[in-house]
Amino acid sequence: MTDQIGRAGPGGTLAVESGTLLAMRLHWAARRSGLLPYLIFALVFVLVATPVVFLLLGSVSAAALPGDFSLLDLTLRNYAQTWLDPSTYALFGNTAIYVLGSTALGITVATMLAWLVERTDMRGKAWVYACVPMTLAVPGMLQSMAWVLMLSPRVGFINKLLMNAFGLSTMPLNIYSFGGLIFVEGLRLVPTAFLMLVPLLRGMDPGLEEAAAAAGAGPLRVLHRVSLKLMAPGLLAIVIYQAMTALEIFEVPGLLGQPAGIFVFSTRIYAIIASVTITPDYGDANALAVLYLIVAVLATFLYARVIARSERYAVISGKGYRPQLQRLGKWRAAASLLAVAYLTLSVILPFIVLVYTSFLSFIQEPSAKAFASMTFKNYAQVFHTPSIGLAVQNTAVMVAVTATATTLLSFVISLIVVRSRFWGRRLLDQLAFFPTAIPGIVMAIAFIWIFLQFDRFGLPFFGTIWSVAVVFTVSFMAYGTRAMNAAILQIHKDLEEAAYVAGAAQWRIMWRIFVPLVLPSLAGVWIWTALHAINVAGMPLLLTQGPRNQVLSVMIWNMWDNGYLPLVGAVGTLLMIFLGFLALATRWIAFGRGPTAADTR
């Protein structure tokens, strides 16, 4: 390069141009590194560190209520009562059974579906690829409620059908059990695991699989002895991530475990706070939440270690290849049946049950009499009840604020992390990812202590939909920054620098060049956040107070508790239809176009 500059034309034109370009690059970088990175860093640090600090302080507080908190009144009594209580360690056993069982079921089904879609000649692969992610549109709360209606030991439709068909004297199945929890949560874990496994299988060189097949090994033997071993590192990371998801979830164990006295960490913490028979013990709840947080942080650390070392086990070839699809032969029909069975159990049956229930005046098993008595009054009540309309309005506002705040904050954080020379950009990236390690119930309890301090200054924030929006934004920030980091890394800096050299102002470069290129990712993050803000019920149950601040998830939960099951069916049916369209938008914007032409042969 030095020789080229020395041999430049008269006046060293090339050297001048190179120096000018370098100066412009440095100036462009300097202009982008101003006060904004420090403000964003401070904001993220406060949003992440403050709840953790208050969680720890609350766990050693002797105050009966968070609003009475004082630094002069600290004690270790809460830890002694909670951590030395034998029932606390029973929670470990319950949580381990629930998390390990549901993770094993979800990963097994997802692995089989992903392998069938990517590596076999199964019929209808394009439909499977499109429909499995769509099951994300089914909220865990509504899915659990539908399975209660089917497998309840008292009124379960399927149980009564089996009793009549086989002349049984008792209900054969009970959804209020460990088996029920594992079954429903396992179904919920499949779509995310499937989406993570498909690219893993698609990018893996199938040479060893083809060699095993040529040696006479059958499809199942190839899957067990070759494919799974090649996928082991990536599969382990997915297993840990899914276990973290099951550990955090509240709705399934809340609806199916609590009635049977089966408590896991999330439901036990909720039971302490939401108790109506005794005064809630916030100190004990915080001490238990700290133990829960330690478990989640260790799982997150293990996940990060597995991801960091995964390059040692790279199985993607540097050469172009076109995998030969496994011929299923007589198993082809069974493969299609597996996909149909999963979609039926996870989406079709719950939706049908909710629709059926929504037309009833009271819960009754399907019969000619039940169908003859169907009515639209539940749907009329949905559209004419002011409290339901207010809940819809609150939900719309909360979701819009949460999704917009999460998307904008994630975009700015990723812009600083990927594009700036800010000294703390890596620490900022780690801070933004840290909420992944904080379960939703734990995050909610931590923020309760913060929000109730506002009341001392005449700022009533706790119990409003704005408090829910803040906590959701912090929780969803980790996903938003991961998605935006990947999107911004794909945009070459030359586009921005060329516009700057041409004299475009910084705001114009951002608006005319940068934003249009990342718009699909922005839209994907917004819709994903909106979808999850509507689905999650645990945090709103703890953070909202009073009927005027109810959101849909809280209202559905309360209606279920009060026995308004047909009305739950009507609201749930309409909500699932709406979420289905949102999931379609997410699928179209964020998940790509699906399998290649070779995959759909």
Side-chain angles (χ1 to χ4, degrees):
M1 181 67 183
T2 305
D3 293 338
Q4 290 178 349
I5 294 175
R7 291 195 298 268
T13 305
L14 182 57
V16 173
E17 291 178 354
S18 299
T20 303
L21 181 58
L22 177 61
M24 288 182 173
R25 284 177 180 266
L26 294 175
H27 182 60
W28 169 246
R31 289 188 63 180
R32 287 181 295 179
S33 300
L35 186 61
L36 180 62
Y38 292 92
L39 293 176
I40 295 299
F41 184 90
L43 174 63
V44 174
F45 181 81
V46 169
L47 288 175
V48 174
T50 305
V52 175
V53 170
F54 268 89
L55 179 70
L56 296 174
L57 290 175
S59 68
V60 295
S61 173
L65 296 172
D68 301 329
F69 171 77
S70 172
L71 287 174
L72 302 177
D73 194 14
L74 303 180
T75 177
L76 294 177
R77 177 186 60 83
N78 300 322
Y79 284 101
Q81 288 185 350
T82 303
W83 288 28
L84 299 180
D85 186 351
S87 66
T88 298
Y89 296 95
L91 287 178
F92 276 103
N94 290 349
T95 305
I97 294 171
Y98 163 65
V99 170
L100 295 177
S102 57
T103 302
L105 176 60
I107 291 293
T108 300
V109 175
T111 301
M112 294 175 67
L113 290 173
W115 179 72
L116 289 171
V117 166
E118 289 296 323
R119 292 302 177 87
T120 73
D121 62 346
M122 182 184 73
R123 294 187 182 93
K125 292 191 296 180
W127 285 103
V128 175
Y129 185 90
C131 292
V132 170
M134 287 293 296
T135 58
L136 290 170
V138 184
M141 181 170 57
L142 291 179
Q143 196 174 38
S144 300
M145 290 174 177
W147 279 106
V148 167
L149 293 170
M150 287 185 276
L151 296 181
S152 166
R154 290 194 307 157
V155 297
F157 302 150
I158 293 179
N159 269 332
K160 288 191 174 182
L161 178 65
L162 293 175
M163 287 180 65
N164 295 333
F166 298 101
L168 303 176
S169 58
T170 58
M171 297 284 191
L173 301 172
N174 183 8
I175 196 66
Y176 297 122
S177 62
F178 274 118
L181 269 70
I182 290 170
F183 170 70
V184 176
E185 182 59 24
L187 292 178
R188 283 178 41 78
L189 294 178
V190 170
T192 301
F194 174 84
L195 289 170
M196 298 172 79
L197 283 164
V198 163
L200 188 65
L201 279 165
R202 185 175 300 174
M204 189 172 63
D205 190 338
L208 292 177
E209 297 170 302
E210 294 171 358
L220 294 179
R221 189 174 181 83
V222 171
L223 173 64
H224 177 253
R225 299 298 297 274
V226 180
S227 304
L228 290 179
K229 290 186 177 181
L230 290 174
M231 294 168 56
L235 188 59
L236 178 59
I238 296 171
V239 168
I240 296 172
Y241 179 82
Q242 294 296 84
M244 291 164 55
T245 302
L247 181 69
E248 180 183 7
I249 204 70
F250 166 79
E251 292 82 4
V252 174
L255 283 164
L256 305 182
Q258 285 193 112
I262 301 174
F263 287 94
V264 296
F265 272 113
S266 58
T267 54
R268 181 59 183 163
I269 293 171
Y270 171 77
I272 294 174
I273 299 297
S275 174
V276 295
T277 58
I278 59 175
T279 302
D281 195 331
Y282 285 90
D284 284 357
N286 272 59
L288 184 59
V290 170
L291 187 59
Y292 188 16
L293 178 62
I294 292 172
V295 174
V297 168
L298 290 176
T300 305
F301 175 75
L302 180 61
Y303 176 71
R305 289 291 298 272
V306 170
I307 291 296
R309 297 184 178 186
S310 60
E311 70 276 2
R312 298 184 183 181
Y313 306 94
V315 293
I316 298 180
S317 169
K319 301 178 181 179
Y321 61 85
R322 186 174 184 177
Q324 181 178 354
L325 299 180
Q326 293 279 348
R327 295 190 178 278
L328 296 176
K330 63 181 180 180
W331 296 101
R332 202 175 187 189
S336 300
L337 184 61
L338 171 66
V340 172
Y342 167 71
L343 293 172
T344 300
L345 293 174
S346 60
V347 178
I348 298 173
L349 264 181
F351 183 71
I352 290 175
V353 168
L354 287 176
V355 171
Y356 168 76
T357 305
S358 69
F359 289 107
L360 299 177
S361 297
F362 59 91
I363 296 299
Q364 52 186 311
E365 60 184 298
S367 63
K369 181 180 178 181
F371 283 104
S373 65
M374 284 185 169
T375 174
F376 285 96
K377 72 175 184 180
N378 295 313
Y379 288 97
Q381 188 173 351
V382 168
F383 291 103
H384 293 93
T385 301
S387 60
I388 296 178
L390 181 60
V392 172
Q393 180 181 336
N394 288 340
T395 303
V397 173
M398 182 271 292
V399 168
V401 171
T402 299
T404 303
T406 301
T407 303
L408 292 178
L409 183 60
S410 300
F411 174 69
V412 176
I413 292 172
S414 296
L415 199 61
I416 295 170
V417 169
V418 177
R419 280 289 197 262
S420 78
R421 298 183 180 180
F422 177 55
W423 64 268
R425 61 186 183 276
R426 291 185 179 178
L427 180 57
L428 176 62
D429 192 40
Q430 293 171 358
L431 282 172
F433 185 69
F434 185 75
T436 301
I438 307 177
I441 290 291
V442 175
M443 183 79 77
I445 289 180
F447 270 100
I448 286 175
W449 287 79
I450 298 172
F451 295 151
L452 286 178
Q453 307 311 311
F454 292 177
D455 288 349
R456 296 183 175 185
F457 302 98
L459 299 173
F461 197 73
F462 172 68
T464 66
I465 59 173
W466 311 112
S467 65
V468 179
V470 169
V471 180
F472 271 153
T473 299
V474 177
S475 297
F476 298 149
M477 178 173 59
Y479 170 82
T481 52
R482 298 310 100 180
M484 293 312 306
N485 283 356
I488 295 175
L489 281 169
Q490 293 178 336
I491 302 175
H492 202 284
K493 295 180 181 180
D494 287 351
L495 292 172
E496 306 156 60
E497 292 168 353
Y500 177 72
V501 170
Q506 187 173 358
W507 69 267
R508 191 175 183 86
I509 294 171
M510 182 67 64
W511 181 252
R512 296 295 298 273
I513 296 177
F514 208 84
V515 170
L517 291 174
V518 298
L519 189 59
S521 296
L522 290 170
V525 170
W526 198 99
I527 296 175
W528 182 94
T529 303
L531 193 67
H532 284 72
I534 296 173
N535 286 352
V536 174
M539 283 191 280
L541 278 168
L542 288 178
L543 292 170
T544 57
Q545 297 286 323
R548 295 198 59 80
N549 290 311
Q550 277 193 355
V551 292
L552 271 175
S553 58
V554 174
M555 185 193 68
I556 292 173
W557 183 281
N558 290 335
M559 287 193 302
W560 179 267
D561 265 356
N562 292 323
Y564 301 130
L565 306 191
L567 191 57
V568 168
V571 175
T573 298
L574 296 174
L575 182 58
M576 282 184 64
I577 293 172
F578 173 73
L579 292 177
F581 284 110
L582 266 186
L584 270 176
T586 304
R587 172 72 177 78
W588 178 62
I589 292 173
F591 296 153
R593 292 177 295 176
T596 61
D599 296 324
T600 55
R601 289 180 304 188

